[in-house]
């Protein structure tokens, strides 16, 4: 039976900011980082507005209920509403009632819902149900991950891993987890995550800026919504040069709910044989539960979520064995792995089975989150949240290094807490937030030092990025006040963030040996590098303060304009980086001080045109300036590398491998320096522009088209001030050489110390803000509710990224140096295609769901993106220009050589004569297909149903892993010109493996079975 309500009244539920304040004006609707708004229009079948229609809004999770009625114009609204999924029923006597189910309300956006009621005389047995169909209007384009995206196809239970179903980030497509390699053309470290409106600490390994990062404390089951913002138009957002993510945790309701969930899997069922040659069981499982309910009905609610997970990931062999040896005279018979094990045992008495065999990566730990929402009065609501995660990883994947990381461990933990107090009035609203977050990562290396065999392109032992200890803690406080004045909503406020950062890390502190080939490995002849210094952590505090002021103007019923400005500053401690008096005496250059740039003002402006104010055609345009902070790991490096860390380099015989050489064997030992010239430093700034068009078609069809441009200035580039002032020689191809080169088989390196201007110092790195990036993007998205049971979602991104910042995917600081200091043929060789340029990215999901107690759910997701670019060069360790980096030299290309042209064509390389352009080749396209199946079981309790799930990830997928970028191999039988020659002749031969995968890192195929309560 229908019930008509003559006035709006709240029956139950913790609706954010007290939904009773429906009288607040429309311009206030999208002015919160943590709440959205709802606007509805009810007409008859002829389009005539219907007043007095009873509207009932209920959370799809149950327990939240709000009852309203339409005004004289047939409209209803809830100005500030907790984000989530809602069902909305519209009913009036004499009309067929309609219930729209699965309406998503997004933070910072206005959701518009249209109802068309058909006249029908009583009796009426049941309302007509229509699957979610709504338009969302906001100042900036927001990609909102839907409820089923957060709950299903969860390859990893962490909320940020749900981004695999979007094209917003460059995904790793290997077995690393996290938000992605890069966003907006910048490494992942430049992106920012806000949870419940408060910035969270994101950390993996600060020495690898492009390493995917996770927020393990926020499980999918405890996350209500995850939004991706390309540009943060609202000045309350603390923007970032990268991409901004905003997550909202779940809230409890009136009804007591207990929802356990879990799954189990085994590699014997799912993995491909080539990815599990060690025949590991790969046994993995997850158990968890969500408990929610009311402390005081209609007033105070709670939610508690906890889970524990144990994962085993079998892997492929550490490296792909070559089909044949180009130089058989310098290798023995049999696979490289077998030869290394034989040499290790017979020559050095060391068992290398673990380092040369497939490993089983493990992840073991858990997370928990608790949240309480308390409506103190009709105008005030309080939120308290606390959570954390603690886990261990064995043999974790780290970067694109060639080692399998056998014996490496990671001990990690995250903590997060938040407090929010929201107050509203007829003309005002205020949101006060306090938060604390911390992340700790302790990496330990294996018992073997890093070892590279150049001629075979293999590595084992502890990579240069290990060991390392990192911890970042942040306390955050903010307040935002808004007041309505006519057609304007003025919003202003401020924030303060206090950060404590601690780091104990020096690249190469475990020692790195490099050998030219297997024979020279057996003889112990090669090179050695180590950053040896006091094992003392560095720590410091920094403070960031910001203020903002903006106006949201309802210029017409259809057009909203936003304009405002934000001011930010960062205070770094004094006397943490002291001047190195010896270097200053030699050069007059001071290395102490602190960066003093104050970030400055960041204006934003935006326009939204909602044609006819119906949410059908929506045009958005806007832009602004977003300012980043100084990466604390960079400041920590300057504190560490102040002259107390000695760089040891050696060349020759190291017959006691794997023991680190004694001082006499290290031919050069000198302090290394890193500093930030305080008078030159500028905080990174991104200028962002975007525009887009959204078309909402009644019946469940949304299409969006948009474009974005991001230009970032003042990125840090590394320069070595202690390199010899000019080249000592050139190669026969015209490459400048900055040291006396020595050849050891397939390995060419400079004589230690020969490339230094002052022999009393090793590399002296100045970090200069001369880097810049340009990112262009076109994006398209489609959401289509084909029928009540069938839906499709697809998104595509085309982008182009260029910059002049090198080596951000490598942990070796020397790899960030340009191989051609100054200009090459009048241009800066470093300017070109970015390491993160992935032009094509797409994802599509098809979902079917039936109804009833034994409902069947089937979802299929496809993901594809272009391969990562790379520069044709040489094998790892080969340093042809003698600048100290064995990874940054490009090859010289002669297109008259038919064999070279064939190799370049096979790897989709740009065909240019001369030195290869930066990132002029591209790896193979990456793709994967995932499948999720669920069926309701005839078991229920308290209205909850038990669902059996079967998931299959990467049922078909591409191969992934670091590629062989060596276009040429150094002929081990060749010889260099005599020392002192002005021209260095090289003996090089084409590499038949160019562009092939050196080590398989595929995201594993996984089948798993689970149970959950829906």
């Amino acid at each position: 039976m229908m019930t008509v309500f003559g006035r709006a009244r709240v029956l139950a539920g913790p609706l954010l900011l007290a939904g009773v304040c429906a009288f607040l004006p429309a311009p206030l609707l999208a002015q919160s980082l943590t709440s959205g708004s709802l606007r509805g229009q009810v007409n008859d079948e002829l389009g005539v507005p219907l007043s007095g229609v009873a509207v009932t809004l209920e959370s799809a999770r149950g327990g939240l209920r709000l009852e309203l009625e339409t005004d004289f114009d047939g409209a209803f609204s809830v100005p500030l509403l907790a984000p989530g999924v809602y069902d909305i029923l519209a009913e009036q006597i004499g009309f067929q009632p309609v219930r729209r189910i699965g309406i998503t309300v997004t933070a910072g956006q206005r959701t518009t819902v249209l109802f068309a009621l058909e006249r029908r005389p009583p009796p009426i047995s049941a309302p007509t149900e229509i699957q979610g169909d709504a338009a969302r209007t906001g100042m900036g384009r927001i990609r909102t991950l839907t409820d089923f995206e957060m709950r299903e196809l969860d390859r990893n239970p962490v909320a940020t891993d749900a981004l695999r179903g979007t094209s917003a980030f460059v995904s790793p497509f290997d077995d690393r987890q996290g938000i992605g390699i890069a966003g907006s053309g910048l490494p992942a470290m430049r992106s920012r995550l806000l949870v419940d409106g408060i910035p969270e600490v994101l950390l993996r390994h600060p020495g690898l800026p492009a390493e995917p990062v996770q927020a393990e404390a926020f499980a999918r089951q405890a996350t209500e919504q995850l939004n991706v913002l390309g540009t943060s138009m609202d000045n309350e957002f603390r923007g970032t040069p990268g991409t901004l993510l905003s997550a909202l945790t779940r809230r409890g309701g009136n009804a007591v709910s207990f929802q356990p969930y879990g799954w189990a899997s085994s590699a014997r069922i799912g993995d491909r044989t080539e990815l599990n040659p060690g025949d590991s069981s790969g046994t993995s499982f997850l158990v968890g539960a969500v408990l929610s309910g009311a402390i005081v009905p209609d007033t105070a609610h709670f939610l508690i979520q906890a889970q524990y997970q144990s994962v085993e990931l079998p892997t492929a062999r550490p490296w792909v064995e070559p089909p044949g040896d180009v130089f058989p005279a310098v290798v023995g018979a049999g696979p490289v792995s077998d030869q290394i094990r034989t040499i290790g045992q017979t020559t050095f008495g060391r068992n290398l089975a673990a380092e040369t065999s497939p490993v089983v990566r493990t992840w073991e730990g858990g997370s928990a989150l608790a949240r309480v929402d308390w409506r103190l009065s009709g105008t005030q609501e309080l939120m308290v949240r606390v959570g954390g995660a603690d886990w261990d990883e064995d043999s974790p994947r780290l970067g694109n290094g060639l080692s399998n990381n056998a014996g490496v461990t990671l001990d990690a933990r995250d903590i997060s807490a938040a407090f929010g107090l929201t107050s509203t009035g007829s003309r005002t609203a205020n949101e006060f937030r306090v938060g604390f977050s911390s992340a700790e990562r302790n990496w330990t290396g294996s018992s073997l030092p890093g070892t590279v065999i150049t001629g075979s392109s293999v590595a084992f032992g502890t990579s240069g990025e290990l060991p390392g200890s990192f911890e970042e803690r942040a306390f955050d406080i903010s307040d935002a006040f808004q007041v309505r004045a006519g057609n304007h909503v003025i919003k202003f406020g401020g924030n303060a963030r206090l950060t404590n950062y601690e780091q104990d890390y020096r690249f190469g502190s475990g020692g790195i040996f490099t050998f030219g080939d297997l024979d020279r490995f057996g003889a112990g002849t090669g090179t050695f590098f180590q950053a040896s210094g006091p094992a003392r952590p560095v720590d410091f505090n920094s403070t960031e303060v910001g203020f903002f002021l903006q106006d949201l103007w309802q210029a017409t019923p259809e057009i909203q304009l936003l304009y405002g400005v934000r001011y930010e500053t960062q205070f770094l401690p004094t006397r943490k980086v002291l001047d190195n008096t010896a270097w200053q005496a030699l050069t007059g250059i001071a290395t102490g001080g602190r960066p003093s740039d104050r970030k400055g003002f960041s204006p934003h402006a935006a326009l939204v045109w909602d044609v006819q104010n119906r949410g059908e055609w929506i045009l958005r345009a806007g832009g602004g300036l977003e300012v980043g902070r100084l990466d604390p790991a960079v400041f920590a490096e300057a504190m560490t590398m102040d002259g107390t860390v000695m760089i040891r380099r050696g060349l020759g015989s190291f017959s006691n491998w794997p023991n680190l050489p004694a001082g006499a064997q290290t031919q050069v030992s000198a302090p290394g320096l890193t500093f930030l010239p305080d008078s030159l430093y500028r905080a990174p700034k991104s200028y962002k522009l975007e525009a887009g068009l959204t078309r909402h078609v009644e019946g469940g069809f949304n299409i969006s088209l948009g474009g974005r441009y991001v230009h970032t200035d003042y990125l840090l580039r590394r320069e070595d001030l202690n390199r010899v002032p000019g080249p000592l020689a050139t190669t026969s191809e015209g490459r400048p050489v900055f040291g006396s080169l020595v050849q050891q088989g397939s390995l060419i390196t400079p004589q230690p110390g020969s490339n230094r201007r002052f022999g009393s110092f090793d590399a002296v790195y100045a970090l200069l803000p001369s880097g810049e990036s340009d990112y262009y993007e076109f994006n398209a998205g489609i959401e289509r509710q084909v029928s009540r049971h069938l839906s499709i979602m697809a998104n595509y991104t085309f982008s182009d990224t260029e910059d002049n910042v090198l080596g951000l995917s490598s942990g070796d600081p020397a790899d960030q140096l340009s191989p051609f200091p100054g200009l090459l043929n009048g241009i800066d060789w470093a300017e070109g295609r970015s390491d993160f340029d992935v032009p094509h990215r797409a994802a599509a999901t098809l979902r079917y769901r039936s109804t009833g107690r034994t409902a069947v759910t089937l979802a299929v997701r496809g993901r594809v993106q272009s391969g990562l670019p790379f520069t044709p060069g040489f094998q790892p360790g080969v340093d042809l220009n003698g600048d100290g980096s064995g990874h940054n030299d490009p090859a010289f290309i002669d297109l008259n050589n038919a064999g070279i042209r064939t190799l370049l064509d096979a790897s989709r390389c740009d065909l240019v004569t001369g030195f290869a352009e930066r990132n002029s080749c591209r790896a193979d396209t990456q793709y994967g297909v995932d499948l999720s199946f669920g069926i309701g079981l005839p078991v229920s309790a308290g209205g909850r149903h038990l669902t059996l799930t079967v998931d299959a990830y990467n049922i078909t997928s591409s191969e992934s892993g670091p590629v062989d970028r060596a276009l040429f191999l150094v002929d081990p039988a060749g010889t260099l010109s005599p020392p002192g020659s002005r021209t260095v002749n090289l003996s090089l031969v084409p590499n038949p493996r160019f562009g092939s995968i050196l080590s398989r890192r595929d995201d594993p195929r996984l089948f798993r079975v689970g149970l959950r309560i829906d």
Side-chain angles (χ1 to χ4, degrees):
M1 178 181 297
M2 292 186 302
T3 303
V4 180
F5 298 88
R7 61 187 179 88
R9 59 190 180 93
V10 175
L11 293 185
L15 296 175
L16 184 61
L17 300 183
V20 293
C21 298
F23 50 80
L24 289 182
L28 198 56
L29 293 183
Q31 285 295 283
S32 172
L33 304 187
T34 56
S35 62
S37 63
L38 179 70
R39 175 182 177 273
Q41 179 69 40
V42 183
N43 301 330
D44 64 13
E45 65 268 34
L46 300 178
V48 178
L50 296 176
S51 62
V53 176
V55 177
T56 305
L57 180 146
E58 293 181 286
S59 169
R61 299 191 186 284
L64 306 182
R65 182 180 176 93
L66 180 68
E67 297 181 354
L68 311 165
E69 71 174 23
T70 60
D71 60 17
F72 180 79
D73 295 320
F76 65 91
S77 65
V78 182
L80 293 169
L81 182 62
V85 180
Y86 293 87
D87 299 337
I88 307 174
L89 173 66
E91 52 186 348
Q92 189 174 44
I93 295 176
F95 291 84
Q96 170 66 31
V98 173
R99 176 182 285 113
R100 292 196 177 275
I101 59 176
I103 301 297
T104 299
V105 174
T106 302
Q109 299 268 295
R110 182 178 73 181
T111 299
T112 301
V113 183
L114 304 179
F115 288 85
L117 303 186
E118 297 181 1
R119 297 182 184 275
R120 179 170 296 181
I124 297 174
S125 58
T128 300
E129 287 193 349
I130 301 176
Q131 191 65 33
D133 180 19
R136 290 190 291 272
T137 306
M139 282 298 165
R141 178 180 179 269
I142 296 181
R143 168 67 164 93
T144 300
L145 274 68
T146 61
D147 186 65
F148 88 84
E149 287 182 284
M150 295 298 297
R151 305 292 172 258
E152 300 169 12
L153 293 169
D154 55 340
R155 168 68 176 83
N156 188 284
V158 181
T160 49
D161 196 61
L163 293 165
R164 288 172 175 264
T166 75
S167 59
F169 282 84
V170 177
S171 299
F173 270 88
D174 53 25
D175 56 8
R176 290 178 295 171
Q177 306 296 318
I179 63 174
I181 298 172
S184 299
L186 298 172
M189 59 164 284
R190 292 294 182 189
S191 294
R192 170 173 280 178
L193 172 67
L194 279 74
V195 179
D196 299 324
I198 300 172
E200 289 291 321
V201 172
L202 285 175
L203 195 64
R204 179 64 174 171
H205 189 302
L208 292 164
E211 188 72 0
V213 290
Q214 284 279 47
E216 296 285 350
F218 303 102
R220 291 182 185 229
Q221 297 292 335
T223 306
E224 181 65 47
Q225 199 172 91
L226 182 63
N227 300 311
V228 183
L229 294 81
T231 304
S232 52
M233 299 299 182
D234 195 315
N235 288 270
E236 184 182 354
F237 276 111
R238 276 164 270 178
T240 176
T243 299
L244 184 65
L245 299 175
S246 177
L248 301 165
T249 54
R250 283 180 58 180
R251 307 158 59 93
N254 270 349
V256 176
S257 171
F258 179 67
Q259 295 177 274
Y261 56 91
W263 54 253
S265 66
S266 170
R268 293 185 186 277
I269 300 175
D271 258 335
R272 290 166 281 194
T273 303
E274 61 271 24
L275 294 182
N276 188 18
D279 195 28
S280 166
S281 67
T283 302
S284 303
F285 69 89
L286 175 143
V287 292
V290 179
L291 174 66
S292 63
I295 303 172
V296 179
D298 302 339
T299 301
H301 303 81
F302 73 92
L303 180 139
I304 301 173
Q305 178 272 337
Q307 65 185 27
Y308 177 83
Q309 182 179 204
S310 177
V311 176
E312 293 184 353
L313 288 178
T315 60
R317 302 188 185 280
W319 41 77
V320 177
E321 299 289 350
D325 298 314
V326 179
F327 307 112
V330 293
V331 296
V336 172
S337 302
D338 293 346
Q339 296 183 64
I340 292 176
R341 283 196 292 269
T342 300
I343 294 172
Q345 189 66 56
T346 60
T347 304
F348 302 107
R350 191 66 181 244
N351 186 351
L352 300 180
E355 288 74 19
T356 57
S357 302
V359 296
V360 177
R361 307 191 188 286
T362 65
W363 192 105
E364 185 173 2
S367 66
L369 182 142
R371 171 171 171 154
V372 173
D373 294 272
W374 197 296
R375 196 168 45 156
L376 303 176
S377 67
T379 60
Q380 285 190 321
E381 183 171 351
L382 178 147
M383 180 275 292
V384 178
R385 168 181 56 78
V386 62
D390 190 289
W391 73 98
D392 297 312
E393 297 182 51
D394 290 332
S395 302
R397 178 71 67 206
L398 185 63
N400 288 318
L402 296 175
S403 173
N404 67 357
N405 276 359
V408 173
T409 62
L410 169 64
D411 177 26
R413 57 195 51 85
D414 289 342
I415 298 175
S416 178
F419 168 87
L421 179 63
T422 305
S423 305
T424 61
S426 60
R427 301 173 63 87
T428 63
N430 189 80
E431 293 177 284
F432 174 74
R433 302 184 184 94
V434 177
F436 171 81
S437 61
S438 71
E440 183 179 356
R441 306 290 184 265
N442 296 306
W443 298 85
T444 59
S446 70
S447 59
L448 279 180
T451 304
V452 180
I453 301 178
T454 296
S456 301
S457 294
V458 302
F460 52 91
T462 300
S463 64
E465 294 84 10
L466 303 173
S469 178
F470 313 92
E471 185 172 5
E472 183 175 352
R473 296 174 290 267
F475 174 79
D476 194 279
I477 184 170
S478 64
D479 189 80
F481 180 82
Q482 52 187 311
V483 59
R484 173 179 173 258
N487 292 332
H488 297 263
V489 175
I490 309 299
K491 185 178 180 182
F492 58 90
N495 67 273
R497 185 174 180 85
L498 286 73
T499 300
N500 174 261
Y501 187 82
E502 185 173 332
Q503 176 172 304
D504 184 4
Y505 170 67
R506 298 162 299 282
F507 176 82
S509 62
I512 302 174
F513 290 91
T514 305
F515 302 101
D517 47 55
L518 291 172
D519 288 353
R520 285 166 178 80
F521 171 52
T525 302
T527 66
F528 174 75
F529 168 87
Q530 184 185 24
S532 176
R536 58 175 178 86
V538 297
D539 71 275
F540 63 92
N541 299 320
S542 69
T543 302
E544 297 173 74
V545 178
F547 303 94
F548 72 93
L549 172 66
Q550 73 178 31
D551 176 25
L552 179 62
W553 174 30
Q554 191 77 40
T556 72
E558 301 177 10
I559 297 176
Q560 283 186 325
L561 296 173
L562 181 146
Y563 41 89
V565 66
R566 181 177 184 86
Y567 175 81
E568 292 182 278
T569 185
Q570 181 179 18
F571 299 96
L572 293 166
T574 59
R575 301 192 62 79
K576 286 290 185 178
V577 182
L578 303 179
D579 286 326
N580 187 285
T581 56
W583 174 257
Q584 189 170 9
L586 288 172
T587 64
I589 299 175
T591 59
R594 63 169 180 173
S596 56
D597 184 55
R598 291 288 183 254
K599 293 188 178 181
F601 291 94
S602 305
H604 286 81
L607 173 148
V608 175
W609 180 18
D610 185 351
V611 179
Q612 297 182 346
N613 203 26
R614 294 175 57 86
E616 296 177 351
W617 289 94
I618 301 170
L619 176 66
R620 298 179 179 89
L625 172 64
E626 297 187 9
V627 185
R629 64 170 182 167
L630 174 65
D631 179 10
V634 171
F635 193 71
E637 181 189 345
M639 291 174 59
T640 301
M641 304 299 293
D642 60 356
T644 58
V645 175
M646 303 299 290
I647 307 300
R648 303 173 60 206
R649 300 181 188 270
L651 183 150
S653 177
F654 303 100
S655 57
N656 289 327
W657 181 95
N659 298 319
L660 300 183
Q665 293 177 284
T666 309
Q667 296 164 337
V668 170
S669 181
L673 290 177
T674 299
F675 69 100
L676 291 141
D678 55 346
S679 61
L680 299 178
Y681 175 79
R682 296 291 182 271
K685 293 180 173 61
S686 286
Y687 303 87
K688 299 184 177 183
L689 297 173
E690 72 172 37
L693 177 67
T694 301
R695 173 66 170 127
H696 171 68
V697 181
E698 184 72 13
F701 180 51
N702 290 284
I703 182 171
S704 61
L705 301 173
R708 195 156 63 97
Y709 170 67
V710 181
H711 175 79
T712 306
D713 282 325
Y714 306 126
L715 298 173
L716 294 178
R717 300 177 70 189
R718 194 174 295 261
E719 292 189 17
D720 185 359
L721 302 187
N722 198 35
R723 189 195 63 241
V724 293
L728 305 179
T730 58
T731 64
S732 53
E733 57 200 4
R735 186 189 313 270
V737 178
F738 299 95
S740 299
L741 299 183
V742 178
Q743 181 172 352
Q744 300 178 90
S746 295
L747 178 64
I748 296 178
T749 56
Q751 181 72 32
S754 64
N755 54 1
R756 296 302 168 207
R757 179 184 179 189
F758 302 107
S760 55
F761 284 89
D762 197 83
V764 177
Y765 294 131
L767 301 177
L768 304 176
S770 56
E772 59 182 15
S773 169
D774 280 297
Y775 176 79
Y776 300 86
E777 175 189 296
F778 168 79
N779 53 71
I782 295 176
E783 298 178 24
R784 179 73 170 101
Q785 192 69 42
V786 180
S787 67
R788 179 181 177 184
H789 304 294
L790 184 65
S791 63
I792 186 172
M793 178 183 299
N795 50 93
Y796 167 76
T797 299
F798 169 80
S799 63
D800 180 81
T801 311
E802 295 187 353
D803 63 29
N804 61 352
V805 183
L806 305 176
L808 295 184
S809 296
S810 171
D812 188 349
D815 294 344
Q816 298 175 23
L817 300 174
S818 173
F820 302 103
L823 301 178
L824 175 66
N825 299 325
I827 63 173
D828 182 359
W829 180 88
E831 292 183 358
R833 186 175 294 155
S834 169
D835 295 349
F836 311 116
D837 179 62
V838 177
H840 301 286
R841 309 189 296 275
T845 303
L846 180 68
R847 183 178 188 256
Y848 170 84
R849 179 176 176 82
S850 65
T851 56
R853 293 184 59 185
T854 58
V856 173
T857 302
L858 178 64
V860 181
R861 178 178 66 190
R863 302 168 287 121
V864 62
Q865 72 178 23
S866 303
L868 289 169
F870 65 95
T871 305
F874 303 91
Q875 290 180 293
V878 174
D879 185 5
L880 291 187
N881 72 343
D883 65 351
S885 170
H887 299 88
N888 70 342
D889 291 317
F892 185 86
I893 298 172
D894 181 3
L895 293 180
N896 294 320
N897 187 323
I900 295 300
R901 181 183 288 270
T902 300
L903 290 174
L904 294 173
D905 282 337
S907 292
R908 296 166 298 283
C909 301
D910 299 336
L911 301 180
V912 178
T913 298
F915 288 105
E917 294 182 349
R918 181 183 170 212
N919 288 324
S920 53
C921 300
R922 191 172 295 280
D924 292 340
T925 298
Q926 303 291 292
Y927 63 87
V929 177
D930 307 320
L931 176 68
S932 179
F933 172 79
I935 182 168
L937 302 179
V939 178
S940 63
R944 303 285 180 176
H945 299 281
L946 185 64
T947 299
L948 172 68
T949 63
V950 179
D951 299 312
Y953 298 98
N954 296 304
I955 55 177
T956 180
S957 62
S958 58
E959 294 184 359
S960 179
V963 300
D964 191 343
R965 58 179 291 271
L967 182 61
F968 294 102
L969 307 176
V970 176
D971 186 351
T975 57
L976 296 176
S977 304
S981 300
R982 295 293 298 174
T983 301
V984 179
N985 296 311
L986 303 173
S987 298
L988 307 175
V989 298
N991 177 18
R993 295 181 62 194
F994 173 70
S996 63
I997 291 179
L998 291 172
S999 177
R1000 289 193 62 163
R1001 309 287 174 80
D1002 303 16
D1003 202 0
R1005 179 180 295 167
L1006 175 66
F1007 286 89
R1008 73 185 192 197
V1009 178
L1011 291 171
R1012 69 170 185 253
I1013 296 291
D1014 286 335

